[in-house]
Amino acid sequence: MTSFTMDPTWIPFHPTPSKPRLVLPPGAVDAHCHVFGPGDVFPYAPERKYTPCDAPKEKLWALRDHLGFSRNVIVQATCHGADNRALVDALMHANGLARGVATVTRRVTDDELRALHEAGVRGVRFNFVKRLVNALPRDELAEIAARIAPLGWHIVIYFEAAELPELYDFFIGLPGIVVVDHMGRPDVSKTVDGPEFQLFVKLMREHGNFWSKVTCPERLSVQGPPDYDDVVPFARHIVEAFPDRVLTGTDWPHPNMTTHAPDDGKLVDFIGRIAVTDELRRKLLIDNPMRLYWPEEVL
């Protein structure tokens, strides 16, 4: 048995999140969350950039029920590298109420890809945030993208706004649906109409295979909790401009937060401020994630 010690600066997830004021519609999907370990069962990757607190599937299910979500999309966390065992274990114990986004390398076999698919994986994540991962060759990513295409999987990309100009041409060459984490992490101290965020809007507008997660106000905000007002104009702009290509989620257990442990109840209330009609909330929380992750259940 391997023992792991949480980083001394790590901020664990909120122990008692509030009950949201916003009542989520039945069937709502938390389309971006994670599981960590537990490390003595599912060891953290040797090459990891951080050692988190354990955040097992049972805690995630409890949070789902407390907040009023019905389903989860669990995204492989960088602390587990390309070892997807904790993710697969959660999917296998979710009673069909969770899907997954894995991390793989070019060494993955076709049999392993099929096994991930059977477990409920429907996408693969490419992380371009330099402080979190070592850079991967673009040809390797293109190779993986081609290999997952027959499975009908989509690609999830994580990058920061300042990196988009350099990566733009590579991104638009990726096949199939491409989902961008956290709106490409805009600098919310700048303006919605400024060139940096508008490049992301251009990407969404000109390439209909691109989707966006309008997630992580707690990570993007300069103003901070509890309301994250400075993120609202950015997220609302994306929701209203591209209502059929947006997803949202809690990002629980909030890896690498440096300022505070977000109250997940407040994060649910944030949804009501960026999707201001019942129709927009239904698309964001139900129609879009169901179409992407449970298409067999969409009539």
Side-chain angles (χ1 to χ4, degrees):
M1 181 179 296
T2 304
S3 177
F4 293 90
T5 302
M6 180 180 73
D7 290 342
T9 58
W10 189 266
I11 300 177
F13 53 86
H14 199 296
T16 55
S18 62
K19 191 72 174 177
R21 295 189 304 273
L22 177 67
V23 177
L24 296 175
V29 180
D30 178 351
H32 187 94
C33 51
H34 311 279
V35 289
F36 296 160
D40 59 352
V41 179
F42 303 109
Y44 299 114
E47 71 276 13
R48 67 191 181 280
K49 302 293 186 181
Y50 61 88
T51 302
C53 63
D54 287 339
K57 58 185 182 294
E58 294 83 3
K59 293 282 189 180
L60 180 59
W61 307 153
L63 180 73
R64 175 195 65 198
D65 296 343
H66 174 73
L67 298 178
F69 286 102
S70 300
R71 306 186 189 221
N72 299 90
V73 178
I74 305 171
V75 178
Q76 174 76 349
T78 59
C79 60
H80 280 293
D83 179 351
N84 295 283
R85 285 178 294 171
L87 167 64
V88 167
D89 174 73
L91 297 178
M92 298 296 286
H93 289 87
N95 297 317
L97 298 179
R99 291 287 187 258
V101 175
T103 296
V104 301
T105 70
R106 63 175 14 143
R107 295 185 298 276
V108 70
T109 67
D110 289 341
D111 286 345
E112 288 169 337
L113 288 175
R114 282 191 291 269
L116 288 170
H117 186 84
E118 288 298 315
V121 170
R122 295 295 182 267
V124 65
R125 191 188 202 200
F126 297 157
N127 193 321
F128 294 88
V129 179
K130 295 174 183 176
R131 59 187 166 75
L132 294 178
V133 293
N134 298 320
L136 291 175
R138 296 185 186 184
D139 61 340
E140 179 173 353
L141 303 185
E143 177 185 321
I144 294 168
R147 291 185 61 200
I148 66 171
L151 294 168
W153 291 9
H154 61 276
I155 295 165
V156 176
I157 53 176
Y158 185 29
F159 62 90
E160 296 182 324
E163 299 163 340
L164 182 55
E166 175 189 353
L167 295 165
Y168 192 96
D169 289 341
F170 174 70
F171 286 162
I172 64 175
L174 292 171
I177 292 175
V178 181
V179 181
V180 178
D181 278 345
H182 320 324
M183 299 181 287
R185 290 201 57 137
D187 180 348
V188 300
S189 69
K190 300 179 180 179
T191 66
V192 170
D193 296 329
E196 188 172 90
F197 189 62
Q198 284 302 307
L199 181 62
F200 177 64
V201 173
K202 176 178 184 286
L203 177 70
M204 293 284 295
R205 184 178 63 247
E206 296 183 0
H207 302 278
N209 61 316
F210 275 76
W211 295 39
S212 178
K213 294 179 187 173
V214 285
T215 41
C216 288
E218 74 282 5
R219 199 174 293 283
L220 302 175
S221 180
V222 176
Q223 178 180 329
D227 297 319
Y228 312 112
D229 289 333
D230 48 352
V231 185
V232 170
F234 294 83
R236 184 170 174 178
H237 184 85
I238 297 298
V239 167
E240 294 179 352
F242 311 104
D244 297 312
R245 292 186 279 134
V246 286
L247 304 165
T248 196
T250 60
D251 194 38
W252 186 90
H254 312 290
N256 292 300
M257 284 296 295
T258 59
T259 55
H260 67 291
D263 179 341
D264 297 280
K266 299 295 186 184
L267 296 180
V268 170
D269 289 334
F270 180 83
I271 296 170
R273 302 175 63 208
I274 64 173
V276 298
T277 68
D278 289 342
E279 180 183 9
L280 286 173
R281 284 194 289 272
R282 178 172 182 86
K283 289 184 174 186
L284 177 65
L285 290 162
I286 303 172
D287 294 349
N288 298 344
M290 288 299 293
R291 182 158 43 97
L292 192 58
Y293 290 101
W294 286 272
E296 69 280 1
E297 296 187 30
V298 177
L299 299 179

